[in-house]
Amino acid sequence: MTHVRNADVLADVDDPAWTVLQDALAQAARPATVLPVDPAAGRDVLFRLQVTARSMLGALAVNCGGLVIDEGWLRILGGGGSGLPDLATANDLVDPEQAAAPPPYLIVAYDVLGGRFAVDGGGLGVQPGQVCYWAPDTLEWDGLGVGHTDFVLWSLTDGPTQFYAGLRWPTWLDETRRTPLSEGIAVYPPLFSAEAYPLENTSRKAVPFEELLSLG
């Protein structure tokens, strides 16, 4: 039986990854917002994750509600709040003392189009520990070749600009800025169809994010 550690043990570490993230945020090439988190809620998420704050995953859970990149285009999950789910809720994590097995993958971020990023836990068939992206234009999971820490640090560089070059239209920033974190942008014709391109000719509207996820 796996030993279950309490939130205090997981949170109170000598070398938290939050320090690394703070340094990266201070030099970020992208507009990034750190969402506030209720301390008790953050520790509960950390407990259900069963990782320490030495990891980037644990640092996000206990120190912030999440990171909002490019005015909400990219939403990196943490302890939840401000319209974003927390890491534990997004992955249906129960009390670790009652969990039968680790999840096959762990959702760690979303984008405004309903794309999702997940750490492969063996269920995606890529490589355990690697961050993968489910793309709304291909409807498939693809490995990004990096772990969670490098993914978070990458999100603060110009990497997302290149990554999303084919999925952004001229007015994407204004439309994203107007979209609450509890919502996403639905595109019609859908992004996986040839009729969706060029994207500036599509019909786009904000919808509840859960609805957007159900479409994929």
Side-chain angles (χ1 to χ4, degrees):
M1 181 176 177
T2 303
H3 174 65
V4 175
R5 296 168 290 179
N6 65 42
D8 289 339
V9 170
L10 297 169
D12 300 333
V13 296
D14 294 332
D15 49 350
W18 186 245
T19 303
V20 175
L21 184 54
Q22 285 182 310
D23 289 343
L25 284 164
Q27 304 173 55
R30 317 302 311 146
T33 301
V34 180
L35 300 177
V37 67
D38 175 77
R43 289 200 169 219
D44 178 63
V45 174
L46 192 68
F47 173 67
R48 286 192 278 165
L49 286 169
Q50 282 295 292
V51 298
T52 75
R54 289 189 186 93
S55 68
M56 187 64 70
L57 197 67
L60 287 165
V62 78
N63 288 288
C64 70
L67 300 181
V68 178
I69 313 295
D70 283 343
E71 303 291 349
W73 180 280
L74 180 58
R75 300 112 178 252
I76 297 177
L77 304 184
S82 305
L84 276 190
D86 63 75
L87 281 160
T89 300
N91 291 284
D92 298 320
L93 298 183
V94 298
D95 185 320
E97 294 178 345
Q98 302 173 7
Y105 57 87
L106 194 74
I107 297 290
V108 294
Y110 297 112
D111 61 41
V112 73
L113 299 175
R116 58 215 77 167
F117 297 85
V119 177
D120 188 4
L124 298 179
V126 178
Q127 181 182 3
Q130 187 173 150
V131 174
C132 304
Y133 178 62
W134 185 92
D137 58 334
T138 66
L139 307 183
E140 295 179 350
W141 287 101
D142 287 308
L144 301 184
V146 297
H148 181 254
T149 296
D150 285 339
F151 163 69
V152 173
L153 298 179
W154 165 86
S155 74
L156 300 174
T157 71
D158 284 324
T161 299
Q162 302 168 21
F163 185 78
Y164 284 111
L167 289 174
R168 286 177 168 174
W169 54 95
T171 58
W172 70 267
L173 185 58
D174 287 339
E175 292 175 42
T176 301
R177 186 181 288 122
R178 296 195 300 266
T179 304
L181 295 178
S182 59
E183 298 181 353
I185 297 176
V187 179
Y188 185 82
L191 291 166
F192 55 80
S193 67
E195 292 77 17
Y197 304 89
L199 288 172
E200 53 264 35
N201 295 335
T202 58
S203 172
R204 300 176 299 276
K205 68 174 182 176
V207 299
F209 202 73
E210 289 298 321
E211 178 182 330
L212 190 59
L213 291 179
S214 72
L215 299 176

